Amino acid sequence: MPRTQTQSPSLTHVQMQAPKQTQSRARRGHSRTWVRTLRAAARPLARLVCFPHSGGSTASYAHWAAALPPAVELLAVQYPGRGDRFAEEPGSVRLMAAAVAAELAGTSGNITAPAPLALFGHSLGALVAYETALALRDAGREPAHLLVSGSAAPHDVRGGGLHLAEDTELWETVTGLGGFEAEVADDAELRDLLLPTLRADLTANETYRPHPAAGLLSCPVRCYFGRRDPLVDGARLAGWGYVTDGPFTLIPRPGGHFYADDGTGTAGLVPDVLAALSGEPVPVAQSV
């Protein structure tokens, strides 16, 4: 494990953006691209690719655009089962990562302008981002940075049975984390519409296991977590340092699992992400 710089599964906002039933039928069987541009840069100095949590979508990161400088291109991953991919079945963490890596490596899609690549993922997104980093490494395109948030380290993932729970239990557990507004959490029709995709995301998260011979990354890894997050054990998150032989930094943030979703959380997180991308020193936070 590299030297740690101490600065001292994944649930959701309702961002699946379900289309009307007629629209989803029309799109059935049609695969959209995985990586969407939220804000383009003609000559980017860095490209930040964001991976949503379970139930999240590209909309999870739309508000980051205003906080980033113009030279940072902002992209986000659209998983199957939401938005214009609502009719598609979500897949495993590794399968999703392989598809994303293919687009980022230029074997499909149109993301070809050269720029240092950074991956940021929250909760389920942290695991998909990690597997994407491995796939890019194997293709000779390892990212410059891996930034993860709100997830146990790959070799410390302990599974879980929430994806097997009865609908009401699953819904109440998820909404209890604070990722839903009250009027959404209490909407039975919307719940029935969103539950299948949410359950599929949770299945991908809770059944994920890393490949035993994955090997190490060489890029810096930065791990964020909310101090009051009931889904992660901050004392065990140093395990993310074992996925790389590069620098590792562990950074606690105020709040719970969705610590970055309000304006205050984003205002604190995004500048730290930018500092990491630029290599600037970041003030040391209090111990975990």
Side-chain angles (χ1 to χ4, degrees), residues 38 40-42 56-57 61 70 93 116 122 131 168 183 197 199 202 213-214 235 239:
L38 299 184
S57 72
Y61 295 101
V93 166
H122 179 67
E131 287 288 343
T168 299
E183 58 269 27
T197 297
R199 187 182 296 278
L202 291 170

Side-chain angles (χ1 to χ4, degrees), residues 111-175:
I111 302 166
T112 56
L117 184 67
L119 310 182
F120 177 93
H122 179 67
S123 205
L124 168 65
L127 299 176
V128 182
Y130 164 67
E131 287 288 343
T132 301
L134 291 177
L136 288 169
R137 178 206 62 191
D138 293 345
R141 300 283 297 274
E142 183 170 343
H145 299 273
L146 174 62
L147 305 113
V148 295
S149 170
S151 173
H155 293 85
D156 206 23
V157 170
R158 301 191 180 280
L162 184 58
H163 68 285
L164 300 174
E166 181 269 333
D167 284 354
T168 299
E169 179 186 355
L170 187 155
W171 188 253
E172 290 179 353
T173 301
V174 170
T175 56

Side-chain angles (χ1 to χ4, degrees), residues 39 215 235:
R39 194 189 62 192

Side-chain angles (χ1 to χ4, degrees), residues 19-32 83-88:
K20 294 178 181 178
Q21 190 175 20
T22 54
Q23 294 173 319
S24 70
R25 279 201 300 264
R27 292 187 176 108
R28 190 173 302 277
H30 180 73
S31 259
R32 303 284 177 167
D84 57 3
R85 305 188 68 187
F86 188 73
E88 298 178 50

Side-chain angles (χ1 to χ4, degrees), residues 63 253-254 258-271:
H63 63 292
R253 302 287 308 163
F258 292 108
Y259 69 89
D261 281 350
D262 59 35
T264 302
T266 303
L269 175 63
V270 174

Side-chain angles (χ1 to χ4, degrees), residues 32-109:
R32 303 284 177 167
T33 54
W34 289 76
V35 184
R36 312 295 175 87
T37 301
L38 299 184
R39 194 189 62 192
R43 296 178 180 174
L45 297 180
R47 177 172 288 118
L48 178 62
V49 184
C50 297
F51 295 73
H53 50 270
S54 291
S57 72
T58 56
S60 307
Y61 295 101
H63 63 292
W64 283 39
L68 294 171
V72 176
E73 187 165 82
L74 179 63
L75 309 171
V77 173
Q78 185 79 312
Y79 303 140
R82 63 220 76 203
D84 57 3
R85 305 188 68 187
F86 188 73
E88 298 178 50
E89 292 291 331
S92 70
V93 166
R94 197 168 288 117
L95 285 175
M96 291 192 289
V100 174
E103 289 192 5
L104 293 176
T107 57
S108 65

